[in-house]
Amino acid sequence: MLGLARLPYGVLYVIAEGFYFLLAYVVRYRWRVVQQNLRNSFPEKSAAEIDRIGKAFYRHFAQVMVETIKLAHMSDAELKQRVNFRNPEVLERHFRAGRMALGLSSHAGNWEWVLTSGAVWLSAEVDGVYKPLSNPFFESFMHQLRTRTGAGLIPMRDTLRDMVQRRGEPRVVSLLSDQAAGPEDRPYWTTFMNQDSGFYTSADRLAARFKCPVVYVSIKRIRRGYYEIVLTELYDGNAPLPADEFPITDAFVRHLEADIRAAPEQYLWTHRRWKHKRPA
């Protein structure tokens, strides 16, 4: 994999086309899941449109694969050139005030470039909450990729303890907030992409406890190999949050839904996002 990272982008994207062909036409990786997710999310679209979006997604997914590998041999300057933060001042003003912030991102665009590019764009530390992989080799490999530009990683089970211990430090703690929450997680249930969906409520609970601002992190591919990140403040960390309501999570869902509708091929449709059902 490290050998691949040294190849020029032109060669990597040729390899990505090979991955795309294998995923979409030979292996048909989770093809039924992708088709079901797309049909349920876009009931107004024809079968031909669903097929087109599905194929475009596999091409995008293959490109994200080689771009992630490329992280092993990218300079900070190159990463900063390829991922443009349009409005970093949304976070920087909180850093200047000595505040910790939460960043809510998703499996859209190139999600693996969000944390690493944030570490080279922002003046404060960027830490990502993650679930360690069970395979030791891939856990070590992905840990090195995700931290090589200076970002930190926080195992999911240690999130609260880490935030308590470092509550006075200006930084952003990034959460991948679109993952499927099960009934045991006491999720916030809402309609997302025309389907009942349960979301983790960590953002609301942590923001209320630590009085920290929350931003939505949108990343979109503007052309092959180049992305733009736009930050939208969802909560300023000052006004009290209502108990047993989840306005931050709901705002995240609405922003993500708008991003998906604008560029559906850039979302991770192989993810079993809707595997849980709302309790009767």
Side-chain angles (χ1 to χ4, degrees), residues 1-2 133-144:
M1 288 190 183
L2 295 179
L133 301 174
S134 57
N135 183 290
F137 170 79
F138 284 107
E139 165 62 16
S140 176
F141 179 71
M142 292 305 298
H143 193 282
Q144 290 179 42

Side-chain angles (χ1 to χ4, degrees), residues 46 56 64-65 69 76 79 81 106 128 143 151 160 164 186 188 202 206 234 243 245 247:
S46 67
V64 170
M65 289 170 63
I69 293 171
D76 290 1
L79 185 57
Q81 181 186 31
S106 69
H143 193 282
L160 182 59
V164 168
R186 294 181 297 172
Y188 168 65
S202 307
L206 292 172
L234 304 181
E245 296 181 27

Side-chain angles (χ1 to χ4, degrees), residues 26-274:
V26 180
V27 179
R28 294 176 73 82
Y29 174 67
R30 293 194 175 184
W31 177 250
R32 291 184 180 179
V33 175
V34 171
Q35 289 285 296
Q36 181 180 14
N37 284 342
L38 288 172
R39 283 195 301 267
N40 292 342
S41 297
F42 300 100
E44 74 284 1
K45 294 188 182 297
S46 67
E49 289 177 299
I50 294 297
D51 187 69
R52 179 190 61 78
I53 295 171
K55 297 292 177 55
F57 156 71
Y58 278 109
R59 175 169 273 121
H60 169 74
F61 185 44
Q63 291 175 6
V64 170
M65 289 170 63
V66 299
E67 289 167 357
T68 300
I69 293 171
K70 187 65 175 177
L71 277 173
H73 201 255
M74 286 179 73
S75 68
D76 290 1
E78 183 179 10
L79 185 57
K80 192 171 184 179
Q81 181 186 31
R82 288 185 170 270
V83 183
N84 176 51
F85 267 68
R86 187 197 294 178
N87 55 343
E89 64 275 6
V90 171
L91 280 170
E92 292 294 346
R93 65 187 182 89
H94 294 300
F95 298 154
R96 289 193 294 271
R99 303 182 77 183
M100 173 177 60
L102 295 178
L104 308 187
S105 58
S106 69
H107 290 89
N110 186 330
W111 56 93
E112 291 293 350
W113 279 12
V114 172
L115 192 71
T116 49
S117 61
V120 301
W121 266 97
L122 300 173
S123 63
E125 185 171 339
V126 177
D127 295 319
V129 175
Y130 83 115
K131 185 176 181 179
L133 301 174
S134 57
N135 183 290
F137 170 79
F138 284 107
E139 165 62 16
S140 176
F141 179 71
M142 292 305 298
H143 193 282
Q144 290 179 42
L145 289 187
R146 291 166 174 166
T147 60
R148 65 173 305 276
T149 60
L153 289 178
I154 306 168
M156 188 181 299
R157 63 181 180 275
D158 298 334
T159 304
L160 182 59
R161 180 174 60 184
D162 181 89
M163 292 181 69
V164 168
Q165 292 176 344
R166 303 176 59 192
R167 66 187 308 160
E169 298 180 24
R171 59 174 177 146
V172 59
V173 177
S174 178
L175 307 173
L176 270 172
S177 299
D178 63 328
Q179 306 201 48
E184 70 280 1
D185 301 307
R186 294 181 297 172
Y188 168 65
W189 286 96
T190 186
T191 301
F192 168 59
M193 299 304 297
N194 291 305
Q195 299 163 81
D196 263 349
S197 309
F199 285 84
Y200 288 99
T201 58
S202 307
D204 289 86
R205 291 186 286 105
L206 292 172
R209 174 162 182 168
F210 295 98
K211 296 181 173 58
C212 56
V214 184
V215 300
Y216 171 70
V217 183
S218 172
I219 179 169
K220 297 177 183 177
R221 186 183 68 237
I222 52 177
R223 65 182 190 276
R224 192 175 69 177
Y226 291 86
Y227 296 84
E228 182 176 68
I229 287 179
V230 178
L231 306 175
T232 303
E233 187 169 273
L234 304 181
Y235 172 61
D236 64 6
N238 297 321
L241 288 167
D244 300 320
E245 296 181 27
F246 307 100
I248 295 173
T249 300
D250 189 73
F252 164 79
V253 172
R254 302 308 145 215
H255 281 283
L256 174 58
E257 190 171 59
D259 279 353
I260 293 172
R261 293 191 181 282
E265 74 282 356
Q266 294 189 38
Y267 191 61
L268 183 62
W269 296 107
T270 54
H271 182 42
R272 296 182 184 273
R273 179 64 189 81
W274 293 276

